Amino acid sequence: MKYKELIQKMTLEEKASLMSGKDFWQSENIDRLGIPSMFLADGPHGIRKQAAAADHLGLNESIPATCYPTAATVANSWNEELVEKMGQYLGKEAVAQKVNVLLGPGINMKRNPLCGRNFEYYSEDPYLAGKMAAGLIRGIQSNGVSACVKHFAVNNQEERRMVIDTIVDERTLREIYLTAFEIAIKEGKTKTVMSSYNMLNGTHTNENMHLMREILRDEWGFDGVVVTDWGGNNDRVQGLLAGNELEMPTTNGETDREIIEAIKNGEIAEEVLDECVDRLLELIFTTEEVFGKPHHDFDETDHHQMAQNVAEESIVLLKNEENVLPLKKDKKVAVIGDFAEEARYQGAGSSIVNPTKLSHTVDCLDDSGIKIIGYEPGFERYGKKNKKKIEKACELARQADVVLLYIGLDEVTEAEGLDRQNMQIPANQVDLLNELYEVNPNIVAVLSCGSAVEMPWIDKVKGLVHGYLSGQAGAKAILNVITGKVNPSGKLAETYPLHYEDTPSYHYFPGKEVSVEYREGPYIGYRYYDTADVPVLFPFGYGLSYTTFSYSNLCVNQDGVTFNITNTGKLAGMEVAQLYVRCTSKSIFRPNKELKGFKKVFLNPGETKTVTISFDDKTFRYFNIKTNQWEIEMGQYEMLIGASSSDIRLKDTINIQGTEAPLPYSNEQLPSYYSGKVNSVSKKEFEQLLGRKVPESKWDRSKPLGYNDTIAQCQYAKGGFARFAYHLINFTYWFLRKIGKRSTANLIMMSVYHMPFRGVARMTGGIINMPMLDGILMIVNGHFFKGVNHFLKERKKMIKQSKIEIGQSEVIKEM
């Protein structure tokens, strides 16, 4: 241990105190030993350091910081160097605001388009997500502070996220849901990992020895700190045994006492605690060093420009019929859509950034060079029908040569803690589009949202620019693409299906009660659509440019592939070349092809460049459940070079020597997985894949409610008071939505409805402890007076204990 001498000077109580927070955002300090607090702040795409009272949901405003494009946006750049540079800028701001640990990036897979937090995640592909994350981490940590990759692992739905049990087979877990984390940890060398809320195959992730010890520590060699998601601790002693050092936020010493008691009774060895303390001290001291060095406040203008640069390279041109874009300077343009006046530029929840400055389209029009004839909002932002606004917009559109229509999803539709209800944009926006089309078919739609949407209306637009959630400088970036000042080079990091029903997890998302079953196995995103031959609206890796590119001269050897790309158009531009690999053997089921490399290149008109994409340890591997390790199947592999997953320009084959492992599966037992048609897998076949019985997915309504049951389950409670509270919450949610307070209504769902009872203790900073929670559960389970009495008695005991500990703390300070 690096800090053995320092640890020997600590009391058991001091060591235990370091294992949980001092308050909502800070770790504990020990002044007498010179151990400072760390500050941990949300920050996947900007620093959210709250100046006032802290909360996890973004209610209280944070110190101004640059709001960069979200991960869903940045992934469309396919540019590791750009993401790393963005990370450097984020790290500078973290240093300026004295933030030790920046809680990002988030790299959970986009298993389903409706996951409410998809805007915070990179991709449906683990290789792309891992590479993007590694770049961001390197950039952040180059400043001396720590990134924190999250949420480890298989956290792919927001509904019931704190208690849902994810049921997934080992191969799918390794190949799809852990590979991005593996790349982020091995290549990005992140100092901190955040464990997720959910359970994995029956065990909470931060207590899961297989995940936390066998894979993260032993296999990947991670020697940094694991921090819980806020309120994500279930059993503190089991979490510590699994190597989860830091619990956040504070529990006011309650879980510290659990650790002390477990050591005293022999449940856990003190050496385990010492190891955790040692890793935590390393994080504290290495990140604190940078604050002792001279540094300057960041240049807001320079960082705003960086946010614009990232947005410009991440915008995706999806449609350009009749070369309607870039806009011609002599065209009269009508700007329509509420999002043009008030930009939709980031998601909602814990990642909300208070921007240093914010560009809105209507404020940037004068400098754009576009011949604007007027602006109309056209629709109500939050979905309410308004015929007069449509009429005014149509009147303006009649006078224009081209209509710029700004549409998308609003802030309360894409939010942490809630999954979307469907893949549609609001009906009032579609109504507007239909009416505009009748008076002026020359429509260019500008789409703003952080996840995939259905587009049954796409035939009614000639141009489609997808800005995703492009940060505080996104409005100007989009205008630069529309006018041709910037040649679009973004490509989709996720597939856009024609209909939500086409998605492979349609029947298995979300888990509503006890568990969620990943019956589709490894077939998510393009892996499914390509293999099952399901048509899509826009394929993975798709994006248009104002120029054209040709591919030629593919050469394949044992080290990688080389080929040429030529800019065959009249404008300079960037192209993302993608390497997909297909195994021709049918002995082991696999997706039709998988992304194994990519390279973004800049080319002037007529210029040719040779591109090299090297193979790595992930190019040919698969996880074998019989040998319980990565193996390579011997055989012939096709090397596919594409401009997207469906636009393959070059191909060649190579023979690869395998590891001669036993075949892990039988075709007869797993027909759906061998065909890739996994949108309706039977329970029996899924159990064959799992190698065990599928656990019961429904609540046992006969049992009393416990710590890991949610407030929503009070509808089945034996206690009338609990049932009344449930109906009151439901009514309040309905009423708030009815009067237009959708944001507040969403908070009820996020912070109350789906909260497990243990969260009441874990998220209140010690105001309510677990013995007091026992009293609440007595009330819920039909013992009202007994529960109230127990609650009040335990509250008195807690107050008395708190006074004793304050007195002891004062004595230690005087020593």
Side-chain angles (χ1 to χ4, degrees):
M1 293 193 300
K2 187 174 180 180
Y3 298 95
K4 187 175 182 180
E5 289 185 14
L6 181 58
I7 293 170
Q8 286 174 343
K9 295 177 184 176
M10 294 182 194
T11 65
L12 176 58
E13 288 74 16
E14 285 174 328
K15 287 189 282 190
S17 74
L18 290 174
M19 297 294 97
S20 63
K22 176 182 180 178
D23 53 30
F24 208 86
W25 295 114
Q26 294 183 91
S27 68
E28 190 57 83
N29 59 292
I30 304 176
D31 288 339
R32 76 176 188 90
L33 296 173
I35 300 171
S37 295
M38 287 189 303
F39 198 101
L40 301 88
D42 285 311
H45 64 275
I47 317 293
R48 188 176 79 99
K49 184 175 183 180
Q50 288 174 301
D55 71 273
H56 192 51
L57 299 172
L59 292 177
N60 295 326
E61 195 171 78
S62 55
I63 297 168
T66 311
C67 181
Y68 296 92
T70 68
T73 315
V74 176
N76 295 332
S77 75
W78 293 65
N79 189 333
E80 294 175 70
E81 291 77 16
L82 179 73
V83 176
E84 184 167 341
K85 191 174 181 183
M86 174 179 145
Q88 290 168 2
Y89 276 66
L90 275 170
K92 285 179 187 176
E93 296 192 34
V95 172
Q97 294 196 19
K98 294 193 174 179
V99 170
N100 301 69
V101 180
L102 204 53
L103 301 174
I107 58 172
N108 295 101
M109 289 297 97
K110 297 187 181 186
R111 173 184 178 240
N112 185 284
L114 300 188
C115 175
R117 217 165 173 179
N118 274 352
F119 65 88
E120 278 192 63
Y121 303 142
Y122 288 109
S123 180
E124 67 191 30
D125 182 84
Y127 191 86
L128 177 59
K131 291 292 185 177
M132 293 289 106
L136 192 78
I137 292 163
R138 286 193 297 268
I140 291 169
Q141 296 189 166
S142 68
N143 292 274
V145 294
S146 172
C148 177
V149 68
K150 61 184 187 180
H151 308 87
F152 190 63
V154 288
N155 177 190
N156 305 108
Q157 71 176 63
E158 290 298 287
E159 185 169 326
R160 294 182 50 78
R161 62 180 176 163
M162 292 185 77
V163 289
I164 200 73
D165 187 6
T166 301
I167 309 301
V168 60
D169 69 283
E170 185 71 10
R171 181 182 172 197
T172 298
L173 174 69
R174 297 299 200 106
E175 293 186 8
I176 303 298
Y177 297 101
L178 295 188
T179 291
F181 285 98
E182 180 185 358
I183 294 170
I185 287 162
K186 289 183 176 180
E187 297 181 20
K189 302 191 184 304
T190 185
K191 296 177 182 179
T192 314
V193 170
M194 182 188 289
S195 55
S196 57
Y197 284 127
N198 55 286
M199 301 172 79
L200 170 60
N201 292 326
T203 306
H204 287 272
T205 57
N206 76 312
E207 302 167 12
N208 194 304
M209 296 296 282
H210 177 54
L211 186 66
M212 291 292 175
R213 285 284 185 186
E214 294 173 10
I215 297 175
L216 179 64
R217 300 288 188 189
D218 299 340
E219 188 178 320
W220 296 349
F222 178 67
D223 60 358
V225 167
V226 177
V227 59
T228 66
D229 202 340
W230 266 235
N233 173 55
N234 174 55
D235 184 313
R236 187 66 191 103
V237 173
Q238 292 303 312
L240 200 69
L241 282 167
N244 198 149
E245 286 84 6
L246 182 59
E247 175 191 10
M248 293 297 289
T250 180
T251 59
N252 199 26
E254 182 180 17
T255 54
D256 302 344
R257 291 188 287 274
E258 291 175 8
I259 293 170
I260 293 165
E261 184 63 28
I263 289 172
K264 286 181 177 178
N265 67 25
E267 186 180 349
I268 184 171
E270 191 166 350
E271 289 75 18
V272 173
L273 174 60
D274 290 348
E275 287 176 9
C276 291
V277 171
D278 191 65
R279 288 194 289 259
L280 187 64
L281 290 175
E282 174 71 2
L283 181 65
I284 291 170
F285 289 132
T286 56
T287 57
E288 193 69 19
E289 279 177 8
V290 69
F291 303 133
K293 299 174 183 177
H295 66 273
H296 304 283
D297 290 338
F298 65 94
D299 184 329
E300 290 185 4
T301 301
D302 180 41
H303 283 232
H304 182 80
Q305 183 61 51
M306 181 61 195
Q308 182 179 318
N309 295 345
V310 175
E312 287 172 348
E313 205 169 315
S314 305
I315 292 163
V316 187
L317 179 61
L318 292 175
K319 186 176 181 181
N320 196 18
E321 191 178 298
E322 299 175 12
N323 290 322
V324 67
L325 294 176
L327 285 178
K328 313 299 184 290
K329 288 186 178 181
D330 60 338
K331 298 292 183 182
K332 293 184 294 182
V333 177
V335 176
I336 295 171
D338 181 81
F339 294 158
E341 185 174 18
E342 188 177 340
R344 173 77 214 287
Y345 63 101
Q346 65 174 332
S350 64
S351 68
I352 288 178
V353 178
N354 180 18
T356 55
K357 55 181 75 176
L358 180 57
S359 300
H360 299 289
T361 300
V362 292
D363 300 326
C364 301
L365 291 173
D366 289 343
D367 297 327
S368 68
I370 302 173
K371 193 175 180 180
I372 304 296
I373 63 166
Y375 161 74
E376 286 292 339
F379 61 86
E380 297 280 357
R381 192 176 189 89
Y382 298 109
K384 188 178 178 182
K385 302 274 186 178
N386 190 320
K387 194 172 182 182
K388 284 186 178 179
K389 285 194 173 183
I390 292 179
E391 289 172 354
K392 283 187 175 182
C394 288
E395 184 57 40
L396 179 64
R398 285 189 184 93
Q399 305 166 43
D401 297 318
V402 177
V403 174
L404 273 184
L405 177 62
Y406 284 74
I407 55 176
L409 299 176
D410 60 65
E411 295 83 352
V412 295
T413 299
E414 294 183 287
E416 177 183 354
L418 295 167
D419 295 314
R420 288 195 290 154
Q421 298 302 303
N422 55 58
M423 276 188 68
Q424 300 157 13
I425 65 171
N428 65 335
Q429 296 182 35
V430 178
D431 291 344
L432 170 64
L433 173 56
N434 289 335
E435 295 289 337
L436 289 172
Y437 181 76
E438 295 301 318
V439 301
N440 190 338
N442 296 316
I443 299 171
V444 173
V446 178
L447 190 60
S448 295
C449 52
S451 45
V453 294
E454 294 174 345
M455 302 184 195
W457 40 263
I458 194 166
D459 289 340
K460 294 185 177 178
V461 300
K462 286 189 175 177
L464 180 56
V465 176
H466 201 337
Y468 268 72
L469 300 179
S470 50
Q472 66 179 49
K476 188 172 181 181
I478 290 168
L479 284 173
N480 284 345
V481 167
I482 288 170
T483 58
K485 292 175 184 175
V486 170
N487 191 350
S489 63
K491 297 209 174 191
L492 293 176
E494 59 187 319
T495 308
Y496 276 57
L498 286 165
H499 311 285
Y500 176 57
E501 292 78 8
D502 296 336
T503 59
S505 55
Y506 170 70
H507 294 291
Y508 329 124
F509 180 93
K512 285 286 184 182
E513 296 193 6
V514 175
S515 63
V516 55
E517 297 169 7
Y518 285 35
R519 293 197 190 187
E520 72 278 2
Y523 297 100
I524 72 168
Y526 72 91
R527 285 170 166 78
Y528 167 70
Y529 301 114
D530 286 359
T531 309
D533 199 23
V534 176
V536 299
L537 180 62
F538 295 115
F540 176 79
Y542 175 85
L544 300 174
S545 170
Y546 294 148
T547 190
T548 54
F549 301 94
S550 67
Y551 291 65
S552 61
N553 299 336
L554 173 62
C555 296
V556 180
N557 59 39
Q558 294 295 319
D559 298 319
V561 299
T562 61
F563 53 93
N564 292 340
I565 301 182
T566 302
N567 183 340
T568 53
K570 297 179 180 179
L571 295 171
M574 287 184 277
E575 171 71 336
V576 178
Q578 302 154 41
L579 166 64
Y580 296 88
V581 173
R582 173 189 294 142
C583 180
T584 60
S585 168
K586 303 300 180 188
S587 299
I588 301 168
F589 69 80
R590 295 173 185 259
N592 180 269
K593 55 180 171 290
E594 297 182 278
L595 182 74
K596 298 296 182 180
F598 56 91
K599 191 68 68 77
K600 192 166 193 175
V601 292
F602 174 84
L603 293 162
N604 286 310
E607 184 180 10
T608 298
K609 282 185 179 176
T610 299
V611 176
T612 299
I613 300 177
S614 300
F615 298 151
D616 60 24
D617 62 334
K618 297 164 189 69
T619 306
F620 302 105
R621 74 179 191 177
Y622 75 96
F623 194 82
N624 188 302
I625 57 168
K626 282 193 175 178
T627 63
N628 195 36
Q629 64 185 22
W630 294 102
E631 304 284 1
I632 296 175
E633 184 180 6
M634 183 180 71
Q636 190 178 73
Y637 291 78
E638 289 184 347
M639 301 293 108
L640 310 171
I641 308 300
S644 77
S645 62
S646 66
D647 183 9
I648 302 302
R649 304 290 184 89
L650 303 170
K651 65 171 67 176
D652 201 354
T653 58
I654 184 172
N655 291 311
I656 296 296
Q657 187 65 40
T659 50
E660 300 182 357
L663 292 177
Y665 304 112
S666 162
N667 192 332
E668 292 76 21
Q669 293 177 326
L670 301 171
S672 300
Y673 297 102
Y674 274 86
S675 69
K677 296 178 180 179
V678 294
N679 59 331
S680 187
V681 175
S682 69
K683 180 179 177 181
K684 182 179 179 182
E685 188 175 353
F686 184 49
E687 288 179 339
Q688 284 289 338
L689 182 69
L690 275 177
R692 62 184 185 278
K693 290 286 184 184
V694 174
E696 178 55 54
S697 63
K698 301 293 183 184
W699 291 317
D700 184 345
R701 290 165 172 75
S702 66
K703 285 185 177 180
L705 298 182
Y707 295 144
N708 280 311
D709 292 311
T710 63
I711 310 300
Q713 289 169 256
C714 283
Q715 60 188 298
Y716 310 116
K718 293 179 181 177
F721 182 80
R723 293 196 302 275
F724 171 76
Y726 165 79
H727 290 298
L728 181 63
I729 290 166
N730 260 351
F731 172 78
T732 305
Y733 174 73
W734 170 85
F735 181 72
L736 287 170
R737 286 184 65 89
K738 191 76 175 173
I739 64 172
K741 302 285 186 181
R742 291 179 61 196
S743 246
T744 310
N746 284 353
L747 282 174
I748 288 175
M749 283 290 145
M750 285 190 278
S751 58
V752 180
Y753 192 81
H754 291 304
M755 175 76 74
F757 282 99
R758 66 174 165 81
V760 175
R762 300 305 189 210
M763 291 292 279
T764 53
I767 294 172
I768 296 174
N769 63 16
M770 294 300 280
M772 290 163 66
L773 182 62
D774 289 336
I776 294 173
L777 284 170
M778 288 177 191
I779 295 169
V780 166
N781 289 312
H783 307 286
F784 183 83
F785 293 107
K786 183 180 178 182
V788 170
N789 183 55
H790 183 91
F791 180 90
L792 294 174
K793 188 173 80 172
E794 291 298 335
R795 177 162 174 74
K796 285 181 183 177
K797 284 168 66 175
M798 184 187 75
I799 292 169
K800 185 178 179 182
Q801 177 68 28
S802 181
K803 288 178 179 177
I804 292 170
E805 289 177 355
I806 289 170
Q808 291 174 341
S809 173
E810 292 298 325
V811 170
I812 291 172
K813 284 180 182 177
E814 291 171 6
M815 289 172 63

